Amino acid sequence: MARLDANKATLVKDTLGKLIDRKLLASLEVCVRCGICAESCHYYLADPRPEHAPFYRSEQVRRLYRSLFDPIGRHLPWWVGAQRPTEESLAQLAEMAFSTCTLCRRCTLNCPSGCDTAQIMRAMRTVAVAAGLAPEMLVQLADASIAREEHLEDFKEIYLEQVRALEEEVREATGDPQAHIPVDVEGADILYVALSGAHTILPAAILFHEAGSNWTLSMFEASNYGVFLADTARAKRITERIVREAERLRVREVVVTDCGHAYTTLRWEAPNWFGKPFPFQVRSLIELVAGWISDGIITVDPTHNPEPVTYHDSCNLGRNSGLIEEPRTILRAVCQDFREMTPNREHNYCCGGGGGLVATPEWTDLRLKAGGPKAQQVRATGAQVVAASCDNCRIQLGDISEHYALGTRVVGLMELVVKALVPQRAKGHPLEADVA
Amino acid sequence: MSTLEVVTGVLALTGLAVCVVGLGWRVSGVQGRPFRWDVAPAKGSAARGVAYAFTLGMAPWAKESTRRHLLAYVRGILLHLAIFAGLAWLAASPWHAEVPKVVRLLTASVLTAGMAMGLAGFWMRRREPALRQLSTPDDYASLGLVTLFLATAALSAVAAWCLPGLWALSGLMLAYIPFGKLRHFVYFFYTRTFFGLLFGRRGVLESAR
């Protein structure tokens, strides 16, 4: 076992030490290793090995913590299972934190003590980033997001051209030759933050148009790979781009596309990084659309979606953000045959694609295996269509549909809404502003 | 009072003092760490979340894990109830003769059941591969001390001559609490509170929406 050199050892200790707030300390100390959290983890269900149990994983980080911060662990390591870090153990911890935990918090919900294993794994990810042991792909993606703002002028023209090309499809879908996709509009009510690619821009543009919203499209994508790295400095910089844009355009609210981690980040986590609430409201497109349907601002016809549809609760949106009933309001309105998975809502299983796993090709096999419980859940519903409200989940659900031969089609929640949409605006239907 | 009773009584009080000071040190360790209230606007109720975390959220039927591991969970609950009963008995034990016999017999029954739960804990820890792999000497020492404490407490409830044994063992157990796994109960109140705050504010828990 190669011992860490002094600099690295100090770096690890300092990094972990700075992360230990009251919440993390309590989670590090509270576990009695009762073991009943094991089956709450989709990794364990898919492959019931001890190392896939949440308490086992978090115990590995606790051993590091005890060796560095607990007096008993420092002086009598064998008594409490403390383990000083070595090059090998640190690399193993880093791999464990990035590849065998999707930070879904299902184990937290199931722990009798409420131990936040996701926070422990995040702390380990932060240590891994500091020690240069983070997955290269996540680092590159995070840095690319930061670079986009730094070189915005280079991107802007290409981006605007791409958006203009999409407008034709919006006009076709809405039947309105005046329909367009506003970008960089000062004084708009809503700044909509999409993901890279047309699939989260187009449905939203159609729906914003139909609802008569005063909106503008963000120049930046919602995804934040700094969050997957648990690197707050990077994550904050990526978020800052959107915050600055929203402040510059003086919007009343920022609406995040149906993306799990992006919503959780902007809605719940980022205000804490900035130390104050944002001067604008943050909502998910799901909340907006559910409200439009309930208030009769848009009209939908469920017969346009006749196939059996089931819904996968994204862990970030559901368990970590409380967006639980809103997607169901939408699905009951736009589908003829909506079927719940079991378990569902905050108890839903992670699909296996969260925590950045979808973006790290080196762990594809592990990710697909961990998707096994989700595949069983989907199969049990007999649904032909799986609706997802998070892009990472959508990719993973598509992959596991293929891998486990489920024969299901995976669609975004908003695609179903657009398919069920009965355009009314041309007929003088009330606009969102009128109803408000 | 016999010399043995005096010596073991002093031992118990010394253990209690170490426990109080040690736990104070642990609590100040937690309190000394930063804590920031979430500043994002709440969706649900943090207060209702915390209330749930300490009440219905602890019910055996509230969680998939506790439904699945009902026996293990009930074992844990009974063990902890017995420990509280044991500590209450410890406080009352100097007045052994004044405690009605029926109360002492009832206490002994509860403590004996608790001791059985402690022994079952050893069995479970050895049976489960993951638990066996992770268990440290501290795990066994902590469980052993508690089980012996319950055993001597049960014996002393029916036989006064066992009181010095209870006091000696209590001193040892109390002194060990801040240094071993037994201190987890201090952090339990923190994690359950944080659990309620997190899932309550975010409107995840049905009762907090």
Coordinates of all heavy atoms in Angstrom, one line a residue, chain A residues 241-321:
Chain A
R241 N -23.8 32.0 -14.3 CA -24.1 32.4 -15.6 C -25.6 32.7 -15.8 O -26.0 33.7 -16.3 CB -23.7 31.3 -16.7 CG -22.3 30.8 -16.6 CD -22.1 29.5 -17.4 NE -23.2 28.6 -17.2 CZ -23.5 27.6 -18.1 NH1 -22.9 27.5 -19.2 NH2 -24.5 26.8 -17.8
I242 N -26.4 31.8 -15.2 CA -27.8 31.9 -15.3 C -28.3 33.0 -14.4 O -29.2 33.8 -14.8 CB -28.5 30.5 -15.0 CG1 -28.1 29.5 -16.1 CG2 -30.0 30.7 -15.0 CD1 -28.3 28.1 -15.7
V243 N -27.8 33.1 -13.2 CA -28.2 34.1 -12.3 C -27.9 35.5 -12.9 O -28.8 36.4 -12.9 CB -27.5 34.0 -10.9 CG1 -27.8 35.1 -10.0 CG2 -27.8 32.6 -10.3
R244 N -26.7 35.7 -13.5 CA -26.4 37.0 -14.1 C -27.3 37.3 -15.2 O -27.7 38.4 -15.4 CB -24.9 36.9 -14.5 CG -23.9 37.4 -13.4 CD -22.6 37.8 -14.0 NE -21.9 36.7 -14.6 CZ -21.0 36.0 -14.0 NH1 -20.6 36.3 -12.8 NH2 -20.3 35.0 -14.6
E245 N -27.6 36.3 -16.0 CA -28.4 36.5 -17.2 C -29.8 36.9 -16.7 O -30.4 37.9 -17.3 CB -28.5 35.2 -18.0 CG -29.3 35.4 -19.3 CD -29.4 34.1 -20.1 OE1 -29.4 33.0 -19.5 OE2 -29.4 34.1 -21.3
A246 N -30.3 36.2 -15.7 CA -31.7 36.5 -15.2 C -31.7 38.0 -14.6 O -32.7 38.7 -14.8 CB -32.1 35.5 -14.1
E247 N -30.7 38.3 -13.9 CA -30.6 39.7 -13.4 C -30.5 40.7 -14.5 O -31.2 41.8 -14.4 CB -29.5 39.8 -12.4 CG -29.8 39.0 -11.1 CD -28.6 39.0 -10.1 OE1 -27.4 39.2 -10.5 OE2 -28.8 38.7 -8.9
R248 N -29.7 40.4 -15.5 CA -29.5 41.4 -16.6 C -30.8 41.6 -17.4 O -31.2 42.7 -17.7 CB -28.4 40.9 -17.5 CG -28.2 41.8 -18.7 CD -27.0 41.3 -19.5 NE -27.1 39.9 -20.1 CZ -27.8 39.6 -21.1 NH1 -28.4 40.6 -21.8 NH2 -27.9 38.4 -21.6
L249 N -31.6 40.5 -17.5 CA -32.8 40.6 -18.3 C -34.0 41.0 -17.4 O -35.1 41.2 -17.9 CB -33.1 39.3 -19.0 CG -32.1 38.8 -20.0 CD1 -32.5 37.4 -20.5 CD2 -31.9 39.7 -21.2
R250 N -33.8 41.1 -16.1 CA -34.8 41.6 -15.2 C -36.1 40.7 -15.2 O -37.2 41.2 -15.3 CB -35.1 43.1 -15.4 CG -34.0 44.0 -15.0 CD -34.3 45.4 -15.2 NE -34.2 45.8 -16.7 CZ -35.3 46.0 -17.4 NH1 -36.5 46.1 -16.8 NH2 -35.2 46.3 -18.7
V251 N -35.9 39.4 -15.3 CA -37.0 38.5 -15.4 C -37.6 38.3 -14.0 O -36.9 38.5 -13.0 CB -36.6 37.1 -16.0 CG1 -36.2 37.3 -17.4 CG2 -35.6 36.4 -15.1
R252 N -38.9 37.9 -13.9 CA -39.5 37.7 -12.6 C -39.2 36.2 -12.2 O -39.2 36.0 -11.0 CB -41.0 37.9 -12.8 CG -41.4 39.3 -12.8 CD -42.9 39.5 -12.6 NE -43.6 38.6 -13.5 CZ -44.9 38.5 -13.6 NH1 -45.7 39.3 -12.9 NH2 -45.6 37.7 -14.4
E253 N -39.1 35.4 -13.1 CA -38.8 34.0 -12.7 C -37.9 33.2 -13.7 O -37.9 33.6 -14.9 CB -40.1 33.2 -12.4 CG -40.9 32.8 -13.5 CD -42.1 31.9 -13.0 OE1 -41.9 30.9 -12.3 OE2 -43.2 32.2 -13.4
V254 N -37.2 32.3 -13.2 CA -36.4 31.4 -14.0 C -37.1 30.1 -14.0 O -37.4 29.5 -13.0 CB -35.0 31.2 -13.5 CG1 -34.2 30.1 -14.2 CG2 -34.2 32.6 -13.6
V255 N -37.4 29.6 -15.2 CA -38.1 28.3 -15.4 C -37.1 27.3 -15.9 O -36.5 27.5 -17.0 CB -39.3 28.4 -16.3 CG1 -39.9 27.0 -16.6 CG2 -40.4 29.2 -15.6
V256 N -36.9 26.2 -15.2 CA -35.9 25.2 -15.6 C -36.6 24.1 -16.3 O -37.7 23.7 -15.9 CB -35.2 24.6 -14.3 CG1 -34.1 23.7 -14.7 CG2 -34.6 25.7 -13.4
T257 N -36.0 23.7 -17.4 CA -36.6 22.6 -18.2 C -36.7 21.3 -17.3 O -36.2 21.3 -16.2 CB -35.7 22.3 -19.4 OG1 -36.4 21.4 -20.2 CG2 -34.3 21.7 -18.9
D258 N -37.4 20.3 -17.9 CA -37.5 19.1 -17.1 C -36.2 18.3 -17.0 O -35.9 17.5 -17.8 CB -38.7 18.2 -17.5 CG -38.9 18.2 -19.0 OD1 -38.3 19.0 -19.7 OD2 -39.7 17.4 -19.5
C259 N -35.4 18.7 -16.0 CA -34.1 18.2 -15.8 C -33.9 18.1 -14.3 O -34.0 19.1 -13.6 CB -33.0 19.0 -16.4 SG -31.3 18.5 -15.9
G260 N -33.7 16.9 -13.8 CA -33.6 16.7 -12.3 C -32.6 17.5 -11.6 O -32.9 18.3 -10.7
H261 N -31.3 17.3 -11.9 CA -30.3 17.9 -11.1 C -30.3 19.4 -11.3 O -30.0 20.2 -10.4 CB -28.9 17.3 -11.4 CG -28.2 17.8 -12.6 ND1 -28.5 17.4 -13.9 CD2 -27.3 18.8 -12.7 CE1 -27.8 18.0 -14.7 NE2 -27.0 18.9 -14.1
A262 N -30.6 19.8 -12.5 CA -30.6 21.3 -12.8 C -31.6 22.0 -12.0 O -31.4 23.1 -11.4 CB -30.9 21.5 -14.3
Y263 N -32.8 21.4 -11.8 CA -33.8 22.0 -11.0 C -33.5 22.0 -9.6 O -33.5 23.1 -8.9 CB -35.2 21.3 -11.2 CG -36.3 21.8 -10.3 CD1 -36.9 23.1 -10.6 CD2 -36.7 21.1 -9.2 CE1 -37.8 23.6 -9.7 CE2 -37.7 21.6 -8.4 CZ -38.3 22.8 -8.6 OH -39.2 23.3 -7.8
T264 N -33.0 20.9 -9.1 CA -32.6 20.8 -7.6 C -31.5 21.8 -7.3 O -31.6 22.5 -6.3 CB -32.1 19.4 -7.3 OG1 -33.1 18.5 -7.7 CG2 -31.9 19.2 -5.8
T265 N -30.6 22.0 -8.3 CA -29.5 22.9 -8.1 C -30.0 24.3 -8.0 O -29.7 25.0 -7.0 CB -28.5 22.8 -9.2 OG1 -28.0 21.4 -9.3 CG2 -27.3 23.7 -9.1
L266 N -30.7 24.7 -9.0 CA -31.1 26.1 -9.0 C -32.2 26.5 -8.0 O -32.2 27.5 -7.4 CB -31.6 26.5 -10.4 CG -31.5 27.9 -10.8 CD1 -30.0 28.3 -10.8 CD2 -32.0 28.1 -12.3
R267 N -33.1 25.5 -7.7 CA -34.2 25.8 -6.8 C -33.8 25.7 -5.4 O -34.2 26.5 -4.5 CB -35.3 24.7 -7.1 CG -36.5 24.7 -6.1 CD -37.3 26.0 -6.2 NE -38.5 25.9 -5.4 CZ -38.5 26.3 -4.1 NH1 -37.4 26.7 -3.5 NH2 -39.6 26.2 -3.4
W268 N -33.0 24.7 -5.0 CA -32.7 24.4 -3.6 C -31.3 24.6 -3.2 O -31.0 25.1 -2.1 CB -33.1 22.9 -3.3 CG -34.6 22.7 -3.4 CD1 -35.2 21.9 -4.4 CD2 -35.6 23.2 -2.6 NE1 -36.5 21.9 -4.2 CE2 -36.8 22.6 -3.1 CE3 -35.6 24.0 -1.5 CZ2 -38.0 22.9 -2.5 CZ3 -36.9 24.3 -0.9 CH2 -38.1 23.8 -1.4
E269 N -30.3 24.2 -4.0 CA -28.9 24.3 -3.5 C -28.3 25.6 -3.8 O -27.6 26.2 -2.9 CB -28.1 23.2 -4.3 CG -28.7 21.8 -4.2 CD -28.6 21.2 -2.8 OE1 -27.9 21.8 -1.9 OE2 -29.2 20.2 -2.5
A270 N -28.4 26.2 -5.0 CA -27.7 27.4 -5.3 C -27.9 28.6 -4.4 O -26.9 29.3 -4.1 CB -27.9 27.7 -6.8
P271 N -29.1 28.8 -4.0 CA -29.3 30.0 -3.1 C -28.4 29.9 -1.9 O -27.9 30.9 -1.4 CB -30.8 29.9 -2.7 CG -31.4 29.2 -3.9 CD -30.4 28.2 -4.3
N272 N -28.1 28.7 -1.4 CA -27.3 28.5 -0.2 C -25.8 28.9 -0.6 O -25.1 29.4 0.3 CB -27.4 27.1 0.3 CG -28.7 26.8 0.8 OD1 -29.4 27.6 1.4 ND2 -29.2 25.6 0.6
W273 N -25.4 28.6 -1.8 CA -24.0 28.9 -2.2 C -23.9 30.4 -2.2 O -22.8 31.0 -2.0 CB -23.7 28.4 -3.6 CG -23.9 26.9 -3.7 CD1 -23.8 26.0 -2.7 CD2 -24.1 26.2 -4.9 NE1 -24.0 24.7 -3.2 CE2 -24.2 24.8 -4.6 CE3 -24.3 26.5 -6.3 CZ2 -24.5 23.8 -5.5 CZ3 -24.5 25.6 -7.2 CH2 -24.6 24.2 -6.8
F274 N -24.9 31.1 -2.7 CA -24.9 32.6 -2.8 C -25.2 33.3 -1.4 O -25.1 34.5 -1.3 CB -25.8 33.1 -3.9 CG -25.3 32.7 -5.2 CD1 -25.7 31.5 -5.8 CD2 -24.6 33.6 -6.0 CE1 -25.2 31.1 -7.1 CE2 -24.1 33.2 -7.3 CZ -24.5 32.0 -7.8
G275 N -25.7 32.5 -0.5 CA -26.0 33.0 0.8 C -27.3 33.8 0.9 O -27.5 34.5 1.9
K276 N -28.1 33.8 -0.1 CA -29.3 34.6 -0.1 C -30.3 34.1 -1.1 O -29.9 33.5 -2.1 CB -29.0 36.1 -0.3 CG -28.3 36.3 -1.7 CD -28.0 37.7 -1.9 CE -27.3 37.8 -3.3 NZ -26.8 39.1 -3.6
P277 N -31.6 34.3 -0.9 CA -32.5 33.9 -1.9 C -32.3 34.7 -3.2 O -31.9 35.8 -3.1 CB -33.9 34.2 -1.3 CG -33.6 34.6 0.1 CD -32.2 35.0 0.2
F278 N -32.6 34.1 -4.3 CA -32.5 34.9 -5.6 C -33.6 35.9 -5.7 O -34.7 35.8 -5.2 CB -32.6 33.9 -6.8 CG -31.5 32.9 -6.9 CD1 -31.7 31.6 -7.2 CD2 -30.2 33.3 -6.7 CE1 -30.7 30.7 -7.3 CE2 -29.1 32.4 -6.8 CZ -29.4 31.1 -7.1
P279 N -33.3 37.0 -6.5 CA -34.3 38.0 -6.7 C -35.4 37.6 -7.7 O -36.1 38.5 -8.1 CB -33.5 39.2 -7.2 CG -32.3 38.6 -7.8 CD -32.0 37.4 -7.1
F280 N -35.4 36.4 -8.0 CA -36.4 35.9 -9.0 C -36.9 34.5 -8.4 O -36.2 33.9 -7.7 CB -35.9 35.7 -10.4 CG -34.5 35.1 -10.4 CD1 -34.4 33.7 -10.3 CD2 -33.3 35.8 -10.5 CE1 -33.1 33.1 -10.4 CE2 -32.1 35.2 -10.5 CZ -32.0 33.8 -10.4
Q281 N -38.1 34.1 -8.9 CA -38.6 32.8 -8.4 C -38.0 31.7 -9.3 O -37.6 32.0 -10.5 CB -40.1 32.8 -8.6 CG -40.8 31.7 -8.0 CD -42.3 31.7 -8.3 OE1 -42.8 32.6 -9.0 NE2 -43.0 30.7 -7.8
V282 N -37.8 30.6 -8.8 CA -37.3 29.4 -9.6 C -38.4 28.4 -9.6 O -38.9 27.9 -8.6 CB -36.0 28.8 -9.1 CG1 -35.6 27.6 -9.9 CG2 -34.9 29.9 -9.0
R283 N -38.8 28.0 -10.8 CA -39.8 27.0 -11.0 C -39.4 26.0 -12.1 O -38.6 26.3 -12.9 CB -41.2 27.5 -11.3 CG -41.9 28.1 -10.1 CD -43.4 28.2 -10.3 NE -43.8 29.2 -11.3 CZ -45.0 29.4 -11.7 NH1 -46.0 28.6 -11.3 NH2 -45.3 30.4 -12.5
S284 N -40.0 24.8 -12.0 CA -39.7 23.8 -13.1 C -40.8 24.0 -14.1 O -41.9 24.4 -13.8 CB -39.8 22.4 -12.5 OG -40.0 21.5 -13.5
L285 N -40.5 23.7 -15.3 CA -41.5 23.8 -16.4 C -42.7 22.9 -16.1 O -43.8 23.2 -16.4 CB -40.8 23.3 -17.7 CG -41.7 23.4 -19.0 CD1 -42.2 24.8 -19.3 CD2 -40.9 22.8 -20.2
I286 N -42.4 21.8 -15.3 CA -43.5 20.9 -14.9 C -44.5 21.6 -14.0 O -45.7 21.4 -14.2 CB -42.8 19.7 -14.1 CG1 -41.9 18.9 -15.0 CG2 -43.9 18.8 -13.6 CD1 -41.0 18.0 -14.3
E287 N -44.0 22.4 -13.1 CA -45.0 23.2 -12.3 C -45.8 24.1 -13.1 O -47.0 24.3 -12.9 CB -44.2 24.0 -11.2 CG -43.5 23.1 -10.2 CD -42.6 24.0 -9.3 OE1 -41.5 24.3 -9.7 OE2 -43.0 24.3 -8.1
L288 N -45.1 24.8 -14.0 CA -45.8 25.8 -14.9 C -46.9 25.1 -15.7 O -48.1 25.5 -15.7 CB -44.8 26.4 -15.8 CG -44.8 27.9 -16.0 CD1 -44.4 28.5 -14.7 CD2 -43.8 28.3 -17.1
V289 N -46.5 24.0 -16.4 CA -47.5 23.3 -17.2 C -48.6 22.7 -16.5 O -49.8 22.7 -16.9 CB -46.7 22.3 -18.1 CG1 -47.7 21.4 -18.9 CG2 -45.8 23.0 -19.1
A290 N -48.3 22.1 -15.3 CA -49.4 21.6 -14.4 C -50.4 22.7 -14.1 O -51.6 22.4 -14.1 CB -48.8 20.9 -13.2
G291 N -49.9 23.8 -13.8 CA -50.8 25.0 -13.5 C -51.6 25.4 -14.7 O -52.8 25.7 -14.6
W292 N -50.9 25.4 -15.9 CA -51.7 25.8 -17.1 C -52.8 24.8 -17.4 O -53.9 25.2 -17.7 CB -50.7 25.8 -18.3 CG -49.7 26.9 -18.3 CD1 -49.8 28.1 -17.6 CD2 -48.5 27.0 -19.1 NE1 -48.6 28.8 -17.8 CE2 -47.9 28.2 -18.8 CE3 -47.9 26.1 -20.0 CZ2 -46.6 28.6 -19.3 CZ3 -46.7 26.5 -20.6 CH2 -46.1 27.7 -20.2
I293 N -52.5 23.6 -17.2 CA -53.6 22.6 -17.4 C -54.7 22.7 -16.4 O -55.9 22.8 -16.7 CB -53.0 21.1 -17.4 CG1 -52.1 20.9 -18.6 CG2 -54.1 20.1 -17.3 CD1 -51.3 19.6 -18.6
S294 N -54.3 22.9 -15.1 CA -55.4 23.0 -14.1 C -56.2 24.3 -14.3 O -57.4 24.3 -14.0 CB -54.7 23.1 -12.7 OG -54.0 21.9 -12.4
D295 N -55.6 25.3 -14.7 CA -56.3 26.6 -14.9 C -56.9 26.8 -16.3 O -57.5 27.8 -16.6 CB -55.3 27.8 -14.7 CG -54.7 27.8 -13.3 OD1 -55.4 27.2 -12.4 OD2 -53.7 28.5 -13.0
G296 N -56.8 25.8 -17.1 CA -57.4 25.8 -18.4 C -56.7 26.8 -19.4 O -57.4 27.2 -20.4
I297 N -55.5 27.1 -19.1 CA -54.8 28.0 -20.0 C -54.4 27.3 -21.3 O -54.3 27.9 -22.4 CB -53.5 28.6 -19.3 CG1 -54.1 29.6 -18.2 CG2 -52.6 29.3 -20.2 CD1 -53.0 30.0 -17.2
I298 N -54.0 26.0 -21.2 CA -53.8 25.2 -22.4 C -54.8 24.1 -22.4 O -55.3 23.6 -21.3 CB -52.4 24.7 -22.5 CG1 -52.0 23.8 -21.3 CG2 -51.4 25.8 -22.7 CD1 -50.7 23.0 -21.5
T299 N -55.2 23.6 -23.6 CA -56.2 22.6 -23.7 C -55.5 21.3 -24.2 O -54.7 21.4 -25.1 CB -57.3 23.0 -24.7 OG1 -57.8 24.2 -24.2 CG2 -58.4 22.0 -24.7
V300 N -55.8 20.2 -23.5 CA -55.1 18.9 -23.9 C -56.2 17.9 -24.1 O -57.2 17.9 -23.5 CB -54.1 18.5 -22.9 CG1 -52.8 19.3 -22.9 CG2 -54.6 18.5 -21.5
D301 N -55.9 16.9 -25.0 CA -56.8 15.9 -25.3 C -56.1 14.5 -25.0 O -55.2 14.2 -25.8 CB -57.3 16.0 -26.7 CG -58.2 14.8 -27.1 OD1 -58.5 14.0 -26.2 OD2 -58.7 14.8 -28.2
P302 N -56.5 13.8 -24.0 CA -55.7 12.6 -23.6 C -55.9 11.5 -24.7 O -55.0 10.6 -24.7 CB -56.4 12.1 -22.3 CG -57.7 12.8 -22.2 CD -57.6 14.1 -23.0
T303 N -56.8 11.6 -25.6 CA -57.0 10.5 -26.6 C -55.8 10.6 -27.6 O -55.6 9.6 -28.3 CB -58.3 10.6 -27.4 OG1 -58.3 11.9 -28.0 CG2 -59.5 10.5 -26.4
H304 N -55.0 11.6 -27.5 CA -53.8 11.7 -28.4 C -52.7 10.8 -27.9 O -51.8 10.5 -28.6 CB -53.3 13.2 -28.5 CG -54.3 14.1 -29.2 ND1 -53.9 15.4 -29.5 CD2 -55.5 13.9 -29.6 CE1 -55.0 15.9 -30.1 NE2 -56.0 15.1 -30.2
N305 N -52.8 10.4 -26.6 CA -51.8 9.5 -26.0 C -52.6 8.3 -25.5 O -52.8 8.1 -24.3 CB -51.1 10.2 -24.9 CG -50.1 11.3 -25.3 OD1 -49.3 11.0 -26.2 ND2 -50.3 12.5 -24.8
P306 N -53.0 7.4 -26.4 CA -53.9 6.3 -25.9 C -53.1 5.1 -25.3 O -53.7 4.3 -24.6 CB -54.5 5.8 -27.2 CG -53.6 6.2 -28.3 CD -52.8 7.4 -27.8
E307 N -51.8 5.0 -25.5 CA -51.1 3.8 -25.0 C -50.9 3.9 -23.5 O -50.9 5.0 -22.9 CB -49.6 3.7 -25.6 CG -49.5 4.1 -27.1 CD -49.1 5.5 -27.3 OE1 -49.6 6.4 -26.7 OE2 -48.2 5.7 -28.1
P308 N -50.7 2.7 -22.9 CA -50.5 2.7 -21.4 C -49.1 3.5 -21.2 O -48.1 3.1 -21.8 CB -50.3 1.3 -21.1 CG -50.8 0.5 -22.2 CD -50.7 1.4 -23.4
V309 N -49.2 4.4 -20.3 CA -48.0 5.2 -19.9 C -47.7 5.1 -18.4 O -48.6 5.1 -17.6 CB -48.2 6.7 -20.2 CG1 -47.0 7.6 -19.8 CG2 -48.5 6.9 -21.7
T310 N -46.4 4.9 -18.1 CA -46.0 5.0 -16.7 C -45.0 6.1 -16.6 O -44.5 6.6 -17.5 CB -45.4 3.6 -16.3 OG1 -45.3 3.7 -14.8 CG2 -44.1 3.3 -16.9
Y311 N -44.9 6.5 -15.3 CA -44.0 7.7 -15.0 C -42.9 7.3 -14.1 O -43.1 6.7 -13.1 CB -44.8 8.8 -14.4 CG -44.0 10.0 -14.0 CD1 -43.4 10.8 -15.0 CD2 -43.9 10.3 -12.7 CE1 -42.6 11.9 -14.6 CE2 -43.2 11.4 -12.3 CZ -42.5 12.2 -13.3 OH -41.8 13.3 -12.9
H312 N -41.7 7.7 -14.5 CA -40.5 7.5 -13.6 C -40.3 8.8 -12.9 O -39.9 9.8 -13.5 CB -39.3 7.1 -14.4 CG -38.0 7.2 -13.7 ND1 -37.7 6.4 -12.6 CD2 -37.0 8.1 -13.8 CE1 -36.5 6.8 -12.1 NE2 -36.1 7.8 -12.8
D313 N -40.4 8.7 -11.5 CA -40.1 9.9 -10.7 C -38.6 10.0 -10.7 O -37.9 9.2 -10.1 CB -40.6 9.7 -9.3 CG -42.1 9.8 -9.1 OD1 -42.5 10.9 -8.9 OD2 -42.8 8.8 -9.2
S314 N -38.1 11.1 -11.2 CA -36.7 11.4 -11.1 C -36.4 11.6 -9.6 O -37.1 12.3 -8.9 CB -36.4 12.7 -11.9 OG -35.4 13.5 -11.2
C315 N -35.3 11.1 -9.1 CA -34.9 11.2 -7.7 C -34.7 12.7 -7.3 O -35.1 13.1 -6.2 CB -33.7 10.5 -7.3 SG -33.8 8.7 -7.8
N316 N -34.1 13.4 -8.2 CA -33.9 14.8 -7.9 C -35.2 15.6 -7.9 O -35.3 16.5 -7.0 CB -32.9 15.4 -9.0 CG -31.5 15.4 -8.5 OD1 -31.2 15.7 -7.4 ND2 -30.6 15.0 -9.4
L317 N -36.1 15.4 -8.8 CA -37.3 16.1 -8.9 C -38.2 15.7 -7.7 O -38.9 16.5 -7.1 CB -38.0 16.0 -10.2 CG -37.3 16.6 -11.4 CD1 -38.0 16.3 -12.7 CD2 -37.2 18.2 -11.2
G318 N -38.4 14.4 -7.6 CA -39.3 13.9 -6.6 C -38.8 13.9 -5.2 O -39.1 14.8 -4.4
R319 N -37.9 12.9 -4.9 CA -37.4 12.8 -3.5 C -36.6 13.9 -3.0 O -36.6 14.2 -1.8 CB -36.6 11.5 -3.5 CG -36.2 11.0 -2.1 CD -35.9 9.5 -2.0 NE -35.1 9.0 -3.1 CZ -35.5 8.1 -4.0 NH1 -36.7 7.6 -3.9 NH2 -34.7 7.7 -5.0
N320 N -35.9 14.6 -3.9 CA -35.1 15.7 -3.5 C -35.6 17.1 -3.7 O -35.0 18.1 -3.3 CB -33.7 15.6 -4.2 CG -32.9 14.5 -3.6 OD1 -32.6 14.5 -2.4 ND2 -32.5 13.6 -4.4
S321 N -36.8 17.2 -4.4 CA -37.3 18.5 -4.6 C -38.8 18.6 -4.4 O -39.4 19.7 -4.5 CB -37.0 18.9 -6.1 OG -35.7 19.2 -6.3

